[in-house]
Amino acid sequence: VAANPGLRWVHTIPAGGGQQVRAARLDRAALDRILFTTSAGVHAVPLSEFAVFGVLAGAKLLPWLLEQQQAHRWGPRRVMPIAADQTVAVVGLGAIGRLTSEKLAGLGYHVVGVHRRQVEVDGVAEIVGMDRLAEVAARADAMVLALPGTEATREVISREVLQAAKPGMTLVNVGRGTTVDEPALIDALRDGPLGLAVLDVTAVEPLPADSPLWDLRNVVIAPHTAAISPHEPRLIAELFA
């Protein structure tokens, strides 16, 4: 911005480009002069697929399966829930949350949307406000977070929400790590009630080597890579064009 006084438009590669703009600490004049657009929507397909993977990982007992395999132990046989018997809360109904809801509903899950306002979304059976997160967590078998990283969403998945979760609940985060109270998340994974966390994002990235999340058996960590597909550069260029 400083080097280009004629700059009028910046398109950010991430869907959550606001974080980059804030980090630049631009003055009012620059913010008034430049239009910022984002790549929101481009990453919906790969992120929704990763979200479905996370929900299924919890339902199909991935941590237990890996534990048995590593111990070279066959059995005992266990009941695995089916989609028709489970409820998934999708928090944030932008492009990613909408497509995730559609895919989960297609598998037979009962999908509850959590959003700041009432909207119509294919596959979502009901929509509740953000102020009811703890209530929704108490009846959800899985919760998918597809929220942007803003001041309004910072640690909205609070200790209260996490402690209210249904025992064994799976938490999948394909939004931003800052939306979760991470120390509270670690406690909920260690001592209950969470059964599994599947995280593409963390509060600090890269995730520090001394983070307890690395060593918890009921955590799956992806290095903020779930949005990347072979088509990403082309789709972003087409959106910009």
Side-chain angles (χ1 to χ4, degrees):
V1 170
N4 293 277
L7 186 63
R8 292 293 183 271
W9 183 7
V10 172
H11 182 85
T12 66
I13 289 175
Q19 289 182 313
Q20 291 179 314
V21 177
R22 280 193 299 275
R25 297 182 178 180
L26 303 176
D27 60 25
R28 185 73 255 172
L31 291 172
D32 289 341
R33 169 168 55 95
I34 300 167
L35 172 71
F36 291 94
T37 53
T38 77
S39 299
V42 165
H43 306 98
V45 169
L47 285 177
S48 65
E49 290 181 0
F50 187 85
V52 171
F53 155 73
V55 171
L56 288 172
K60 302 308 177 185
L61 312 180
L62 179 62
W64 178 76
L65 291 174
L66 291 175
E67 188 176 292
Q68 299 300 303
Q69 179 178 336
Q70 289 162 4
H72 296 196
R73 187 183 302 119
W74 179 269
R77 298 177 73 193
R78 288 180 60 179
V79 172
M80 289 188 177
I82 62 172
D85 296 331
Q86 295 211 305
T87 294
V88 181
V90 177
V91 185
L93 295 175
I96 297 163
R98 286 169 178 263
L99 190 54
T100 298
S101 298
E102 186 179 335
K103 291 179 185 295
L104 290 168
L107 289 171
Y109 287 98
H110 177 83
V111 180
V112 178
V114 183
H115 202 59
R116 64 184 183 277
R117 55 187 172 84
Q118 287 293 316
V119 292
E120 290 189 13
V121 180
D122 290 342
V124 176
E126 56 181 304
I127 293 178
V128 301
M130 294 289 290
D131 59 332
R132 295 173 59 188
L133 269 169
E135 173 191 329
V136 172
R139 61 186 177 104
D141 298 284
M143 178 176 280
V144 175
L145 308 179
L147 294 167
T150 68
E151 286 306 312
T153 62
R154 181 173 293 278
E155 296 189 0
V156 71
I157 306 302
S158 62
R159 184 172 295 273
E160 176 190 6
V161 171
L162 292 167
Q163 289 304 313
K166 182 177 180 179
M169 188 183 87
T170 298
L171 183 74
V172 184
N173 195 353
V174 293
R176 287 293 181 268
T178 55
T179 63
V180 180
D181 180 339
E182 205 161 90
L185 172 65
I186 292 166
D187 290 342
L189 287 162
R190 280 175 168 163
D191 305 317
L194 290 190
L196 174 67
V198 180
L199 309 173
D200 183 49
V201 291
T202 54
V204 176
E205 296 181 7
L207 182 64
D210 60 353
S211 170
L213 288 171
W214 288 113
D215 298 312
L216 292 175
R217 294 183 177 181
N218 54 347
V219 175
V220 176
I221 295 171
H224 206 145
T225 194
I228 300 174
S229 78
H231 309 290
E232 182 185 28
R234 173 180 58 81
L235 291 172
I236 290 173
E238 287 175 355
L239 176 63
F240 175 78

